[in-house]
Amino acid sequence: MVGKDKMCNLMGRIVKKNLGEMGFNMGGGPVNWFPGHMASATRAIRDRLKLADLVIEVRDARIPLSSVNGDLQAVLSSKRRVIALNKKDLANPNIMHRWTGYFESLNQDCMTINAHSQNSVKKLLEFAELKLKEVISREPTLLIMVVGVPNVGKSSLINCIHRIASARFPAQQKLKRATVGPLPGVTQDIAGFKIAHHPSIYVLDTPGVLVPSIPDIETGLKLALTGSVKDSVVGEERITQYLLAVLNIRSTPLQWRNLNNRRLETFLCGANGKEYKPKKGLQQNEGAVNYIEDVVSEVQCALYITLSEFDGNLEDESDLECLIEKQFAALQKAFKIPAHKASDDARRMVSKKFLALFRTGKLGRFTLDDVPGDQART
């Protein structure tokens, strides 16, 4: 297997140089998604940024650099700004301090948050108020602007701020909630929400916007993998193949057995000829939870076995591609997708189910970007 000291260089060589040439590119190329509303939204955001007293730039904690809109950075660098690394509950907790330290070394305020947690968002608001302390003393009305690429959790953050504001100011009129959805591109207009009196503080929620041309294939695939680019633009199969390549290069399936995963051990015993029998007499909710855990363990078992039995060279692109093909077949069995299913349909079903497990954190907490200058992958 590939040692840790080779992982960074290997991943960069395979992904940046050759991913577009490999079989799992599926006829694609650079990943770009810039529908018409993004062009007009980008112009509107730039105009309103001139009026903002503070900007909360929301990024995905799994891809702190890849989830940057480069076209807005020149404007944002001249504003009071807090970088909020959202979805920290899905990111590797062991390196989040290195990311905040990295941004602090660039003199950029940074916080990790979970937009669904009021305690987490309250800390962000307290920090924002601290940043605005000097302005609050002389301005009757203040504006906080929330920006970011699609599906990083801006609307979830806005809605959590609403709940906090409603508790602080019960007399305030009922606030309109921001639309939240699992798909990028849900918010397609710029809307303002009042969150405080004396001084009046407004928060602007903005549409998620990408750059017209994503700089490289790896960045585009990371954005697609974390849901910032619609699956239909890239293709679920291509995204899944990229994810499998990442997991294999990092030897993640081999690490799952070392995480005291009793369910995985149970399934591995089953894979070695011993019968696995699920618990009976479970309540409905408990049964649903156990069903998901069983599916996750079967998936982890399938990837563990295929990688542990792999006798090729991960540095060889053809060998890596062959391994990924074997893993697709193993995942089809793990998800109990009938063998008679048409090949394209089966691969599509495998991809959808596998991506859903990753995106909801069922496979673990991952950070896909590397801290600049840090060779340790996580």
Side-chain angles (χ1 to χ4, degrees):
M1 306 312 297
V2 179
K4 287 185 178 180
D5 57 333
K6 292 185 179 179
M7 286 183 185
C8 186
N9 290 335
L10 172 60
M11 200 62 195
R13 184 165 69 254
I14 288 179
V15 174
K16 291 184 178 179
K17 181 179 178 181
N18 297 311
L19 184 58
E21 302 170 6
M22 293 180 69
F24 60 73
N25 187 47
M26 296 302 294
V31 177
N32 290 310
W33 182 48
F34 196 70
H37 78 271
M38 285 193 189
S40 57
T42 300
R43 290 191 296 270
I45 289 171
R46 282 202 185 99
D47 289 340
R48 287 162 175 77
L49 276 172
K50 299 172 185 176
L51 305 174
D53 298 291
L54 176 72
V55 178
I56 297 176
E57 183 188 2
V58 185
R59 301 186 189 179
D60 191 316
R62 296 168 293 180
I63 49 172
L65 294 181
S66 297
S67 56
V68 169
N69 184 316
D71 285 359
L72 295 178
Q73 292 307 302
V75 181
L76 293 178
S77 63
S78 64
K79 308 294 296 186
R80 292 182 188 83
R81 171 175 54 160
V82 179
I83 295 174
L85 299 180
N86 188 31
K87 304 186 182 183
K88 70 175 184 178
D89 54 312
L90 299 177
N92 187 330
N94 297 322
I95 66 164
M96 281 296 95
H97 70 282
R98 298 212 293 269
W99 274 108
T100 54
Y102 165 73
F103 287 113
E104 288 170 2
S105 72
L106 300 177
N107 295 317
Q108 295 177 352
D109 294 312
C110 177
M111 294 184 66
T112 60
I113 68 167
N114 176 356
H116 297 288
S117 165
Q118 286 201 24
N119 287 335
S120 181
V121 175
K122 280 179 181 177
K123 292 179 181 178
L124 176 63
L125 290 179
E126 289 170 0
F127 187 75
E129 290 174 5
L130 180 63
K131 294 285 289 182
L132 288 173
K133 188 173 182 180
E134 292 182 3
V135 187
I136 287 176
S137 64
R138 62 178 185 272
E139 293 288 344
T141 302
L142 298 171
L143 177 64
I144 296 176
M145 198 162 178
V146 181
V147 301
V149 302
N151 210 33
V152 289
K154 299 182 304 300
S155 295
S156 296
L157 174 60
I158 290 289
N159 287 334
C160 191
I161 291 174
H162 283 180
R163 290 191 291 272
I164 295 170
S166 297
R168 288 180 179 177
F169 310 102
Q172 185 172 257
Q173 65 180 9
K174 188 174 181 180
L175 295 169
K176 178 183 176 183
R177 293 173 61 86
T179 303
V180 178
L183 301 177
V186 171
T187 305
Q188 297 192 3
D189 195 5
I190 294 179
F193 307 95
K194 189 173 184 178
I195 64 166
H197 294 306
H198 309 302
S200 295
I201 300 179
Y202 290 84
V203 173
L204 283 187
D205 183 25
T206 62
V209 292
L210 293 165
V211 294
S213 179
I214 297 172
D216 60 75
I217 290 177
E218 184 176 10
T219 297
L221 287 171
K222 286 177 182 178
L223 287 166
L225 178 56
T226 53
S228 289
V229 173
K230 284 185 177 180
D231 287 349
S232 58
V233 173
V234 183
E236 290 95 342
E237 185 176 340
R238 183 184 176 196
I239 302 170
T240 299
Q241 288 165 323
Y242 170 71
L243 173 56
L244 287 171
V246 171
L247 295 178
N248 290 324
I249 294 299
R250 297 184 179 189
S251 299
T252 301
L254 301 182
Q255 297 165 18
W256 280 329
R257 188 167 189 172
N258 299 327
L259 297 177
N260 193 26
N261 191 333
R262 293 181 180 178
R263 282 180 173 269
L264 178 57
E265 289 292 341
T266 301
F267 277 97
L268 285 171
C269 289
N272 291 325
K274 298 180 181 179
E275 183 180 4
Y276 168 74
K277 295 182 179 180
K279 295 179 181 179
K280 296 182 179 180
L282 296 170
Q283 297 295 323
Q284 185 174 1
N285 290 341
E286 186 181 354
V289 170
N290 278 269
Y291 170 75
I292 295 297
E293 291 180 351
D294 287 349
V295 170
V296 170
S297 294
E298 287 211 42
V299 166
Q300 291 178 328
C301 177
L303 297 184
Y304 171 84
I305 291 175
T306 50
L307 184 55
S308 62
E309 294 178 348
F310 174 66
D311 59 359
N313 182 1
L314 285 177
E315 295 186 48
D316 183 282
E317 295 153 23
S318 297
D319 285 357
L320 176 60
E321 188 176 343
C322 288
L323 171 61
I324 291 173
E325 287 303 303
K326 290 181 181 178
Q327 290 176 326
F328 258 92
L331 288 173
Q332 182 173 345
K333 292 181 181 178
F335 286 124
K336 296 179 172 54
I337 297 171
H340 61 77
K341 202 79 173 174
S343 177
D344 288 347
D345 291 341
R347 292 174 73 89
R348 191 175 302 111
M349 292 174 67
V350 166
S351 299
K352 286 180 178 292
K353 291 176 180 291
F354 190 56
L355 291 176
L357 291 181
F358 173 82
R359 289 167 175 167
T360 53
K362 296 295 190 297
L363 295 179
R365 299 167 67 174
F366 296 90
T367 301
L368 301 172
D369 281 345
D370 294 320
V371 181
D374 189 348
Q375 296 299 309
R377 278 193 168 268
T378 49

